[in-house]
Amino acid sequence: MANATGVEGQAQPRWNALHFAALMGGNVALAVGPWFVRMADSGPVSAGFWRLFLAVPLLFALALANRQQVTGFSRATWLAILGSGVFFGLDIASWHVGIELTRMANATLFGNSGSLVVIAIGLYALHRAPRRGEWLAFVLAIAGSAILLGRSLEIGRETLIGDLFCITAGLLYAGYIVLLQKPRAHLGSWAVLAWSSSAAVPVLLAAALIAKEPFWPQVWWPLIGLALTSQLTGQGLLVYAMRHFTPLVFGLALLTQPAIAVALGWLAFGETLVGIDFVGMAMVAAALVLARSTDR
C-alpha cells in the first residue's frame, strides 16, 4: 500500500497484505479464547493458570530468538513488571470467571474496555478535559454498557454478575497496561510479555487454589489451544501488526472479536441476541474504536 500522509503532515504507518492478515488473524485468535475456556474441564481460573504456564517457555524462546534482553533490568523495571503481572493475573482470573457466567459477546466487549480506562488515566495525568471524540467514547460506552447490563439482568442474575466480572477484568487490564508503559519503552515486546506472564502465573495459581475449583485437567486440548491462541498467536500477531497501522484501523479491526464471539456463542452454546443487544454492542464497540483512534 502507498504511504499516506495525515492531516498534520505526519506519515502514516505503511502496511501490506501480510500485515493485514496478521492484524485480522490476531483478533480471530483472541476471539476464540473464550470458547476454549468453556471447553476446559478445569475451573476458569485454573484455565487461566494453564494458559500462561504453558505459554511462558515459548514466549521466552521468542524473546531470545529475536535477541531481546531478558535479564539485567533495573530495580524499577523489575517492580513495574512484577506489579503488572499481578494486575494481569487478576485480569485473566476475573475475565475467565465472567466468560463462564455471561454471553461470549458481552465477555469479549467488556474484557476490552480497558482502552477507555487508559484514556481516562492519561487525561488525569495530563490535567486536561476530554476532547469531543473522547467525550463521545465515554458516553457511548456508558450507554451501551447500561443496555447490555439491563439485558443481562433480564436473562438472569448470574449473567449480570458475569458482565460485572468482565468489566472488572477491563479495569484490571488497564492497570496492567499503565504499569508496563516504561518497560515497554525500552524492552522488546516478547520479553515484556514473557516476564509479565511469569509474574501472573503464581497469582492465578493462588486464586485457583483459594477458589477450590478443579485444577488438574483430564482433557488437555482446550488448555493447549487457549495457550496457543490467546497468549501466543493472538498476542504475537497483534504485536507484529501494531506498528504498521494507525490506532483507528487497529480499533476497527478489534470489532472482529465481538462478531466472532457472537457467532461462536450462537453455534456452540445457543446464545441468541435480540435487536436491543445489537444496539448496546454497537455503542460499546464504537466507543472502543473512538478510544483507539484518540489514544496517543
Side-chain angles (χ1 to χ4, degrees):
M1 292 292 176
N3 192 32
T5 302
V7 293
E8 297 178 356
Q10 294 180 341
Q12 297 298 302
R14 298 172 65 94
W15 60 275
N16 56 34
L18 179 62
H19 302 145
F20 185 74
L23 176 64
M24 299 308 295
N27 278 287
V28 170
L30 290 173
V32 300
W35 180 74
F36 283 115
V37 173
R38 288 194 181 180
M39 290 294 100
D41 60 358
S42 66
V45 181
S46 299
F49 166 82
W50 292 112
R51 161 185 169 174
L52 297 188
F53 184 80
L54 295 173
V56 161
L58 297 174
L59 292 172
F60 276 110
L62 286 167
L64 293 172
N66 286 275
R67 300 185 179 182
Q68 296 178 4
Q69 179 185 357
V70 294
T71 58
F73 306 147
S74 67
R75 185 171 182 269
T77 298
W78 281 120
L79 289 175
I81 291 174
L82 178 62
S84 70
V86 173
F87 274 93
F88 191 31
L90 295 175
D91 156 52
I92 292 177
S94 183
W95 191 48
H96 281 200
V97 171
I99 288 170
E100 295 280 355
L101 298 177
T102 192
R103 295 174 292 180
M104 288 182 63
N106 287 24
T108 303
L109 280 171
F110 289 139
N112 281 301
S113 62
S115 300
L116 295 163
V117 182
V118 171
I119 284 183
I121 294 172
L123 294 177
Y124 177 79
L126 293 172
H127 303 290
R128 72 164 177 85
R131 299 192 177 102
R132 183 173 57 184
E134 293 160 345
W135 275 121
L136 182 58
F138 292 137
V139 171
L140 286 172
I142 293 171
S145 297
I147 291 172
L148 292 174
L149 290 171
R151 280 284 299 140
S152 290
L153 185 57
E154 289 180 21
I155 297 171
R157 179 173 172 269
E158 186 179 72
T159 311
L160 175 63
I161 293 174
D163 283 350
L164 295 177
F165 266 105
C166 293
I167 291 173
T168 301
L171 297 175
L172 291 165
Y173 190 74
Y176 163 72
I177 292 297
V178 169
L179 282 174
L180 278 186
Q181 288 304 303
K182 287 187 177 180
R184 289 179 67 181
H186 60 273
L187 297 179
S189 298
W190 289 117
V192 170
L193 186 58
W195 278 117
S196 60
S197 298
S198 298
V201 165
V203 175
L204 284 161
L205 176 60
L209 294 177
I210 291 172
K212 297 181 180 180
E213 61 178 40
F215 183 75
W216 289 100
Q218 301 299 314
V219 180
W220 281 95
W221 69 262
L223 299 175
I224 295 173
L226 182 63
L228 293 178
T229 55
S230 290
Q231 200 60 28
L232 194 67
T233 305
Q235 297 278 0
L237 289 176
L238 291 186
V239 164
Y240 169 75
M242 186 180 298
R243 70 188 68 180
H244 301 289
F245 295 93
T246 64
L248 177 59
V249 174
F250 203 83
L252 288 170
L254 180 73
L255 301 189
T256 58
Q257 291 190 36
I260 294 170
V262 168
L264 284 174
W266 175 60
L267 292 172
F269 307 107
E271 297 176 0
T272 58
L273 302 177
V274 299
I276 194 64
D277 290 320
F278 287 106
V279 172
M281 287 177 58
M283 294 173 76
V284 175
L288 294 176
V289 171
L290 283 170
R292 291 281 187 175
S293 63
T294 59
D295 184 18
R296 295 293 180 265

